Amino acid sequence: MAFSADELRVLRRALANALRPAPLPDEDVQDCLRLAGSLDEAVGEAGRLRAFLLADLVRYRDALPGSVARYLELLQDALAAGYDPRPEDLAALRTQRGRPVAAVLLERCHVLAERSVRARLAGRAVPTAAPAPRSRLLALPGGRAAEPEKPKTPAAPARPVPPSERPAPKPSEVFPPRRRPVPPPQQRAAG
């Protein structure tokens, strides 16, 4: 995840305030709330991307042996992202053992699967790459919750709606129907 310069500035102010609590101006509170919203959106997007990649992995595994090169590539990426290999992955890799990449991945998956089983038997939670949901940031210490109510100031201009929240346009809005050319009116001869 990468932060813009403005987001880093907001994050730095929030961390400084956490170390030395003091009342925050409304602008700083709004900046922190916007940053929290952006982080929530990024975490949600990461979860959707992970679900898509895992579904892609399953599709390629189901299409073996014809998709072996792409499956091995996706499995390597998934393992690097913290994917816990499933028994189906181990069985698929066993069928492709003759390939050097598959043999290396099979060995790696055996180690990861064994570590996962031992952790479950020991009663520890197995770390996963899926982020844990976090509660919404409703108030900041020293922020508006600590200040007495002030008269409301005029609201800031509405922020632009991000593309993920806009309704999808209808096909007829994107591609309006073509109008057929109207033939020129025929002139009648008086007679």
Side-chain angles (χ1 to χ4, degrees), residues 100-131:
V101 175
V104 170
L105 276 174
L106 179 60
E107 195 174 311
R108 182 175 173 197
C109 286
H110 274 296
V111 169
L112 292 173
E114 186 176 325
R115 186 181 305 157
S116 174
V117 168
R118 287 179 190 224
R120 274 190 240 124
L121 290 175
R124 297 187 310 237
V126 178
T128 61

PDB file of all heavy atoms in Angstrom, residues 100-131:
ATOM      1  N   PRO A 100      10.184 -29.273 -13.078  1.00  0.00           N
ATOM      2  CA  PRO A 100      11.032 -28.798 -11.976  1.00  0.00           C
ATOM      3  C   PRO A 100      10.341 -27.751 -11.100  1.00  0.00           C
ATOM      4  O   PRO A 100      10.454 -27.801  -9.878  1.00  0.00           O
ATOM      5  CB  PRO A 100      12.251 -28.197 -12.681  1.00  0.00           C
ATOM      6  CG  PRO A 100      12.238 -28.725 -14.063  1.00  0.00           C
ATOM      7  CD  PRO A 100      10.837 -29.108 -14.378  1.00  0.00           C
ATOM      8  N   VAL A 101       9.613 -26.825 -11.715  1.00  0.00           N
ATOM      9  CA  VAL A 101       8.936 -25.778 -10.933  1.00  0.00           C
ATOM     10  C   VAL A 101       7.877 -26.402 -10.036  1.00  0.00           C
ATOM     11  O   VAL A 101       7.721 -26.030  -8.866  1.00  0.00           O
ATOM     12  CB  VAL A 101       8.309 -24.719 -11.867  1.00  0.00           C
ATOM     13  CG1 VAL A 101       7.508 -23.707 -11.084  1.00  0.00           C
ATOM     14  CG2 VAL A 101       9.384 -24.025 -12.685  1.00  0.00           C
ATOM     15  N   ALA A 102       7.132 -27.372 -10.574  1.00  0.00           N
ATOM     16  CA  ALA A 102       6.086 -28.037  -9.787  1.00  0.00           C
ATOM     17  C   ALA A 102       6.688 -28.811  -8.624  1.00  0.00           C
ATOM     18  O   ALA A 102       6.132 -28.820  -7.519  1.00  0.00           O
ATOM     19  CB  ALA A 102       5.258 -28.956 -10.671  1.00  0.00           C
ATOM     20  N   ALA A 103       7.835 -29.459  -8.851  1.00  0.00           N
ATOM     21  CA  ALA A 103       8.482 -30.214  -7.775  1.00  0.00           C
ATOM     22  C   ALA A 103       8.918 -29.287  -6.643  1.00  0.00           C
ATOM     23  O   ALA A 103       8.735 -29.602  -5.458  1.00  0.00           O
ATOM     24  CB  ALA A 103       9.680 -30.985  -8.331  1.00  0.00           C
ATOM     25  N   VAL A 104       9.480 -28.141  -6.990  1.00  0.00           N
ATOM     26  CA  VAL A 104       9.903 -27.169  -5.966  1.00  0.00           C
ATOM     27  C   VAL A 104       8.686 -26.635  -5.216  1.00  0.00           C
ATOM     28  O   VAL A 104       8.699 -26.522  -3.979  1.00  0.00           O
ATOM     29  CB  VAL A 104      10.712 -26.019  -6.620  1.00  0.00           C
ATOM     30  CG1 VAL A 104      10.939 -24.887  -5.644  1.00  0.00           C
ATOM     31  CG2 VAL A 104      12.028 -26.542  -7.165  1.00  0.00           C
ATOM     32  N   LEU A 105       7.625 -26.319  -5.960  1.00  0.00           N
ATOM     33  CA  LEU A 105       6.409 -25.818  -5.311  1.00  0.00           C
ATOM     34  C   LEU A 105       5.771 -26.876  -4.418  1.00  0.00           C
ATOM     35  O   LEU A 105       5.242 -26.540  -3.346  1.00  0.00           O
ATOM     36  CB  LEU A 105       5.398 -25.348  -6.358  1.00  0.00           C
ATOM     37  CG  LEU A 105       5.582 -23.938  -6.873  1.00  0.00           C
ATOM     38  CD1 LEU A 105       4.603 -23.652  -8.004  1.00  0.00           C
ATOM     39  CD2 LEU A 105       5.391 -22.931  -5.765  1.00  0.00           C
ATOM     40  N   LEU A 106       5.808 -28.127  -4.845  1.00  0.00           N
ATOM     41  CA  LEU A 106       5.243 -29.202  -4.022  1.00  0.00           C
ATOM     42  C   LEU A 106       5.979 -29.290  -2.695  1.00  0.00           C
ATOM     43  O   LEU A 106       5.357 -29.403  -1.634  1.00  0.00           O
ATOM     44  CB  LEU A 106       5.309 -30.534  -4.765  1.00  0.00           C
ATOM     45  CG  LEU A 106       4.770 -31.751  -4.021  1.00  0.00           C
ATOM     46  CD1 LEU A 106       3.304 -31.571  -3.668  1.00  0.00           C
ATOM     47  CD2 LEU A 106       4.968 -33.006  -4.859  1.00  0.00           C
ATOM     48  N   GLU A 107       7.283 -29.211  -2.739  1.00  0.00           N
ATOM     49  CA  GLU A 107       8.078 -29.252  -1.514  1.00  0.00           C
ATOM     50  C   GLU A 107       7.745 -28.063  -0.600  1.00  0.00           C
ATOM     51  O   GLU A 107       7.548 -28.224   0.605  1.00  0.00           O
ATOM     52  CB  GLU A 107       9.568 -29.242  -1.885  1.00  0.00           C
ATOM     53  CG  GLU A 107      10.480 -29.646  -0.765  1.00  0.00           C
ATOM     54  CD  GLU A 107      11.907 -29.757  -1.272  1.00  0.00           C
ATOM     55  OE1 GLU A 107      12.131 -30.408  -2.313  1.00  0.00           O
ATOM     56  OE2 GLU A 107      12.788 -29.194  -0.609  1.00  0.00           O
ATOM     57  N   ARG A 108       7.647 -26.898  -1.204  1.00  0.00           N
ATOM     58  CA  ARG A 108       7.321 -25.687  -0.432  1.00  0.00           C
ATOM     59  C   ARG A 108       5.922 -25.791   0.180  1.00  0.00           C
ATOM     60  O   ARG A 108       5.706 -25.421   1.336  1.00  0.00           O
ATOM     61  CB  ARG A 108       7.414 -24.469  -1.347  1.00  0.00           C
ATOM     62  CG  ARG A 108       7.158 -23.164  -0.660  1.00  0.00           C
ATOM     63  CD  ARG A 108       7.382 -22.018  -1.610  1.00  0.00           C
ATOM     64  NE  ARG A 108       6.992 -20.759  -1.024  1.00  0.00           N
ATOM     65  CZ  ARG A 108       6.776 -19.664  -1.717  1.00  0.00           C
ATOM     66  NH1 ARG A 108       6.954 -19.664  -3.011  1.00  0.00           N
ATOM     67  NH2 ARG A 108       6.403 -18.557  -1.115  1.00  0.00           N
ATOM     68  N   CYS A 109       4.959 -26.283  -0.604  1.00  0.00           N
ATOM     69  CA  CYS A 109       3.590 -26.429  -0.102  1.00  0.00           C
ATOM     70  C   CYS A 109       3.507 -27.449   1.028  1.00  0.00           C
ATOM     71  O   CYS A 109       2.731 -27.269   1.972  1.00  0.00           O
ATOM     72  CB  CYS A 109       2.646 -26.809  -1.240  1.00  0.00           C
ATOM     73  SG  CYS A 109       2.300 -25.442  -2.355  1.00  0.00           S
ATOM     74  N   HIS A 110       4.305 -28.538   0.947  1.00  0.00           N
ATOM     75  CA  HIS A 110       4.339 -29.524   2.033  1.00  0.00           C
ATOM     76  C   HIS A 110       4.808 -28.862   3.330  1.00  0.00           C
ATOM     77  O   HIS A 110       4.220 -29.083   4.396  1.00  0.00           O
ATOM     78  CB  HIS A 110       5.260 -30.703   1.685  1.00  0.00           C
ATOM     79  CG  HIS A 110       4.588 -31.776   0.916  1.00  0.00           C
ATOM     80  ND1 HIS A 110       3.554 -32.521   1.403  1.00  0.00           N
ATOM     81  CD2 HIS A 110       4.824 -32.233  -0.340  1.00  0.00           C
ATOM     82  CE1 HIS A 110       3.170 -33.397   0.500  1.00  0.00           C
ATOM     83  NE2 HIS A 110       3.916 -33.238  -0.581  1.00  0.00           N
ATOM     84  N   VAL A 111       5.844 -28.047   3.233  1.00  0.00           N
ATOM     85  CA  VAL A 111       6.370 -27.363   4.421  1.00  0.00           C
ATOM     86  C   VAL A 111       5.307 -26.418   4.999  1.00  0.00           C
ATOM     87  O   VAL A 111       5.060 -26.406   6.215  1.00  0.00           O
ATOM     88  CB  VAL A 111       7.668 -26.596   4.079  1.00  0.00           C
ATOM     89  CG1 VAL A 111       8.086 -25.683   5.209  1.00  0.00           C
ATOM     90  CG2 VAL A 111       8.781 -27.567   3.732  1.00  0.00           C
ATOM     91  N   LEU A 112       4.662 -25.638   4.129  1.00  0.00           N
ATOM     92  CA  LEU A 112       3.641 -24.695   4.600  1.00  0.00           C
ATOM     93  C   LEU A 112       2.439 -25.416   5.193  1.00  0.00           C
ATOM     94  O   LEU A 112       1.894 -24.999   6.221  1.00  0.00           O
ATOM     95  CB  LEU A 112       3.203 -23.785   3.454  1.00  0.00           C
ATOM     96  CG  LEU A 112       4.242 -22.788   2.954  1.00  0.00           C
ATOM     97  CD1 LEU A 112       3.746 -22.068   1.711  1.00  0.00           C
ATOM     98  CD2 LEU A 112       4.578 -21.784   4.049  1.00  0.00           C
ATOM     99  N   ALA A 113       2.010 -26.508   4.562  1.00  0.00           N
ATOM    100  CA  ALA A 113       0.856 -27.258   5.068  1.00  0.00           C
ATOM    101  C   ALA A 113       1.184 -27.894   6.417  1.00  0.00           C
ATOM    102  O   ALA A 113       0.353 -27.883   7.340  1.00  0.00           O
ATOM    103  CB  ALA A 113       0.449 -28.328   4.060  1.00  0.00           C
ATOM    104  N   GLU A 114       2.387 -28.417   6.552  1.00  0.00           N
ATOM    105  CA  GLU A 114       2.789 -29.012   7.828  1.00  0.00           C
ATOM    106  C   GLU A 114       2.830 -27.955   8.926  1.00  0.00           C
ATOM    107  O   GLU A 114       2.360 -28.183  10.046  1.00  0.00           O
ATOM    108  CB  GLU A 114       4.163 -29.676   7.676  1.00  0.00           C
ATOM    109  CG  GLU A 114       4.598 -30.436   8.905  1.00  0.00           C
ATOM    110  CD  GLU A 114       5.913 -31.145   8.682  1.00  0.00           C
ATOM    111  OE1 GLU A 114       6.164 -31.619   7.561  1.00  0.00           O
ATOM    112  OE2 GLU A 114       6.688 -31.225   9.640  1.00  0.00           O
ATOM    113  N   ARG A 115       3.372 -26.792   8.617  1.00  0.00           N
ATOM    114  CA  ARG A 115       3.428 -25.701   9.595  1.00  0.00           C
ATOM    115  C   ARG A 115       2.025 -25.267  10.005  1.00  0.00           C
ATOM    116  O   ARG A 115       1.750 -25.035  11.183  1.00  0.00           O
ATOM    117  CB  ARG A 115       4.175 -24.511   8.988  1.00  0.00           C
ATOM    118  CG  ARG A 115       4.413 -23.397   9.984  1.00  0.00           C
ATOM    119  CD  ARG A 115       5.122 -22.215   9.367  1.00  0.00           C
ATOM    120  NE  ARG A 115       6.369 -22.621   8.734  1.00  0.00           N
ATOM    121  CZ  ARG A 115       6.981 -21.944   7.780  1.00  0.00           C
ATOM    122  NH1 ARG A 115       6.454 -20.817   7.328  1.00  0.00           N
ATOM    123  NH2 ARG A 115       8.107 -22.363   7.256  1.00  0.00           N
ATOM    124  N   SER A 116       1.115 -25.227   9.050  1.00  0.00           N
ATOM    125  CA  SER A 116      -0.265 -24.835   9.329  1.00  0.00           C
ATOM    126  C   SER A 116      -0.952 -25.857  10.243  1.00  0.00           C
ATOM    127  O   SER A 116      -1.648 -25.497  11.190  1.00  0.00           O
ATOM    128  CB  SER A 116      -1.028 -24.696   8.017  1.00  0.00           C
ATOM    129  OG  SER A 116      -2.372 -24.456   8.240  1.00  0.00           O
ATOM    130  N   VAL A 117      -0.741 -27.150   9.954  1.00  0.00           N
ATOM    131  CA  VAL A 117      -1.358 -28.201  10.776  1.00  0.00           C
ATOM    132  C   VAL A 117      -0.801 -28.165  12.190  1.00  0.00           C
ATOM    133  O   VAL A 117      -1.550 -28.254  13.170  1.00  0.00           O
ATOM    134  CB  VAL A 117      -1.137 -29.587  10.121  1.00  0.00           C
ATOM    135  CG1 VAL A 117      -1.500 -30.707  11.069  1.00  0.00           C
ATOM    136  CG2 VAL A 117      -1.947 -29.689   8.849  1.00  0.00           C
ATOM    137  N   ARG A 118       0.514 -28.006  12.327  1.00  0.00           N
ATOM    138  CA  ARG A 118       1.112 -27.937  13.667  1.00  0.00           C
ATOM    139  C   ARG A 118       0.593 -26.735  14.450  1.00  0.00           C
ATOM    140  O   ARG A 118       0.350 -26.835  15.653  1.00  0.00           O
ATOM    141  CB  ARG A 118       2.634 -27.871  13.565  1.00  0.00           C
ATOM    142  CG  ARG A 118       3.232 -29.179  13.155  1.00  0.00           C
ATOM    143  CD  ARG A 118       4.725 -29.079  13.033  1.00  0.00           C
ATOM    144  NE  ARG A 118       5.238 -30.281  12.416  1.00  0.00           N
ATOM    145  CZ  ARG A 118       6.298 -30.916  12.840  1.00  0.00           C
ATOM    146  NH1 ARG A 118       6.989 -30.467  13.851  1.00  0.00           N
ATOM    147  NH2 ARG A 118       6.692 -32.004  12.224  1.00  0.00           N
ATOM    148  N   ALA A 119       0.423 -25.617  13.775  1.00  0.00           N
ATOM    149  CA  ALA A 119      -0.091 -24.421  14.457  1.00  0.00           C
ATOM    150  C   ALA A 119      -1.528 -24.657  14.929  1.00  0.00           C
ATOM    151  O   ALA A 119      -1.895 -24.263  16.037  1.00  0.00           O
ATOM    152  CB  ALA A 119      -0.026 -23.214  13.532  1.00  0.00           C
ATOM    153  N   ARG A 120      -2.337 -25.317  14.085  1.00  0.00           N
ATOM    154  CA  ARG A 120      -3.724 -25.593  14.488  1.00  0.00           C
ATOM    155  C   ARG A 120      -3.772 -26.570  15.655  1.00  0.00           C
ATOM    156  O   ARG A 120      -4.588 -26.425  16.561  1.00  0.00           O
ATOM    157  CB  ARG A 120      -4.513 -26.143  13.312  1.00  0.00           C
ATOM    158  CG  ARG A 120      -5.090 -25.041  12.474  1.00  0.00           C
ATOM    159  CD  ARG A 120      -6.065 -25.580  11.440  1.00  0.00           C
ATOM    160  NE  ARG A 120      -5.531 -25.201  10.141  1.00  0.00           N
ATOM    161  CZ  ARG A 120      -5.258 -26.006   9.152  1.00  0.00           C
ATOM    162  NH1 ARG A 120      -5.514 -27.286   9.245  1.00  0.00           N
ATOM    163  NH2 ARG A 120      -4.749 -25.564   8.035  1.00  0.00           N
ATOM    164  N   LEU A 121      -2.912 -27.574  15.629  1.00  0.00           N
ATOM    165  CA  LEU A 121      -2.873 -28.548  16.718  1.00  0.00           C
ATOM    166  C   LEU A 121      -2.396 -27.912  18.021  1.00  0.00           C
ATOM    167  O   LEU A 121      -2.820 -28.311  19.105  1.00  0.00           O
ATOM    168  CB  LEU A 121      -1.984 -29.736  16.356  1.00  0.00           C
ATOM    169  CG  LEU A 121      -2.525 -30.667  15.278  1.00  0.00           C
ATOM    170  CD1 LEU A 121      -1.501 -31.725  14.913  1.00  0.00           C
ATOM    171  CD2 LEU A 121      -3.826 -31.302  15.737  1.00  0.00           C
ATOM    172  N   ALA A 122      -1.513 -26.946  17.919  1.00  0.00           N
ATOM    173  CA  ALA A 122      -1.011 -26.251  19.109  1.00  0.00           C
ATOM    174  C   ALA A 122      -2.022 -25.233  19.624  1.00  0.00           C
ATOM    175  O   ALA A 122      -1.824 -24.645  20.678  1.00  0.00           O
ATOM    176  CB  ALA A 122       0.313 -25.570  18.795  1.00  0.00           C
ATOM    177  N   GLY A 123      -3.102 -25.020  18.873  1.00  0.00           N
ATOM    178  CA  GLY A 123      -4.141 -24.090  19.326  1.00  0.00           C
ATOM    179  C   GLY A 123      -3.885 -22.654  18.937  1.00  0.00           C
ATOM    180  O   GLY A 123      -4.600 -21.763  19.369  1.00  0.00           O
ATOM    181  N   ARG A 124      -2.881 -22.423  18.132  1.00  0.00           N
ATOM    182  CA  ARG A 124      -2.618 -21.058  17.697  1.00  0.00           C
ATOM    183  C   ARG A 124      -3.388 -20.800  16.413  1.00  0.00           C
ATOM    184  O   ARG A 124      -3.615 -21.692  15.615  1.00  0.00           O
ATOM    185  CB  ARG A 124      -1.124 -20.851  17.417  1.00  0.00           C
ATOM    186  CG  ARG A 124      -0.261 -21.015  18.633  1.00  0.00           C
ATOM    187  CD  ARG A 124       1.150 -20.620  18.300  1.00  0.00           C
ATOM    188  NE  ARG A 124       1.622 -21.278  17.078  1.00  0.00           N
ATOM    189  CZ  ARG A 124       2.686 -22.043  17.002  1.00  0.00           C
ATOM    190  NH1 ARG A 124       3.413 -22.254  18.063  1.00  0.00           N
ATOM    191  NH2 ARG A 124       3.043 -22.593  15.863  1.00  0.00           N
ATOM    192  N   ALA A 125      -3.707 -19.547  16.232  1.00  0.00           N
ATOM    193  CA  ALA A 125      -4.356 -19.159  14.985  1.00  0.00           C
ATOM    194  C   ALA A 125      -3.285 -19.103  13.904  1.00  0.00           C
ATOM    195  O   ALA A 125      -2.184 -18.634  14.131  1.00  0.00           O
ATOM    196  CB  ALA A 125      -5.028 -17.811  15.129  1.00  0.00           C
ATOM    197  N   VAL A 126      -3.623 -19.587  12.744  1.00  0.00           N
ATOM    198  CA  VAL A 126      -2.700 -19.550  11.617  1.00  0.00           C
ATOM    199  C   VAL A 126      -2.808 -18.185  10.966  1.00  0.00           C
ATOM    200  O   VAL A 126      -3.907 -17.754  10.625  1.00  0.00           O
ATOM    201  CB  VAL A 126      -3.050 -20.659  10.597  1.00  0.00           C
ATOM    202  CG1 VAL A 126      -2.123 -20.589   9.401  1.00  0.00           C
ATOM    203  CG2 VAL A 126      -2.997 -21.998  11.257  1.00  0.00           C
ATOM    204  N   PRO A 127      -1.684 -17.472  10.811  1.00  0.00           N
ATOM    205  CA  PRO A 127      -1.786 -16.167  10.168  1.00  0.00           C
ATOM    206  C   PRO A 127      -2.189 -16.315   8.715  1.00  0.00           C
ATOM    207  O   PRO A 127      -1.709 -17.202   8.019  1.00  0.00           O
ATOM    208  CB  PRO A 127      -0.370 -15.594  10.285  1.00  0.00           C
ATOM    209  CG  PRO A 127       0.509 -16.759  10.516  1.00  0.00           C
ATOM    210  CD  PRO A 127      -0.322 -17.815  11.167  1.00  0.00           C
ATOM    211  N   THR A 128      -3.089 -15.467   8.295  1.00  0.00           N
ATOM    212  CA  THR A 128      -3.523 -15.474   6.903  1.00  0.00           C
ATOM    213  C   THR A 128      -3.270 -14.112   6.308  1.00  0.00           C
ATOM    214  O   THR A 128      -3.059 -13.136   7.020  1.00  0.00           O
ATOM    215  CB  THR A 128      -5.032 -15.792   6.797  1.00  0.00           C
ATOM    216  OG1 THR A 128      -5.751 -14.769   7.483  1.00  0.00           O
ATOM    217  CG2 THR A 128      -5.354 -17.148   7.381  1.00  0.00           C
ATOM    218  N   ALA A 129      -3.319 -14.044   5.009  1.00  0.00           N
ATOM    219  CA  ALA A 129      -3.095 -12.770   4.332  1.00  0.00           C
ATOM    220  C   ALA A 129      -4.361 -11.922   4.330  1.00  0.00           C
ATOM    221  O   ALA A 129      -4.320 -10.762   3.987  1.00  0.00           O
ATOM    222  CB  ALA A 129      -2.630 -13.004   2.906  1.00  0.00           C
ATOM    223  N   ALA A 130      -5.502 -12.508   4.695  1.00  0.00           N
ATOM    224  CA  ALA A 130      -6.735 -11.739   4.710  1.00  0.00           C
ATOM    225  C   ALA A 130      -6.732 -10.777   5.896  1.00  0.00           C
ATOM    226  O   ALA A 130      -6.448 -11.176   7.018  1.00  0.00           O
ATOM    227  CB  ALA A 130      -7.937 -12.674   4.816  1.00  0.00           C
ATOM    228  N   PRO A 131      -7.018  -9.519   5.653  1.00  0.00           N
ATOM    229  CA  PRO A 131      -7.003  -8.557   6.746  1.00  0.00           C
ATOM    230  C   PRO A 131      -8.206  -8.731   7.655  1.00  0.00           C
ATOM    231  O   PRO A 131      -9.282  -9.101   7.205  1.00  0.00           O
ATOM    232  CB  PRO A 131      -7.070  -7.212   6.023  1.00  0.00           C
ATOM    233  CG  PRO A 131      -7.691  -7.508   4.712  1.00  0.00           C
ATOM    234  CD  PRO A 131      -7.322  -8.909   4.369  1.00  0.00           C
TER     235      PRO A 131
END
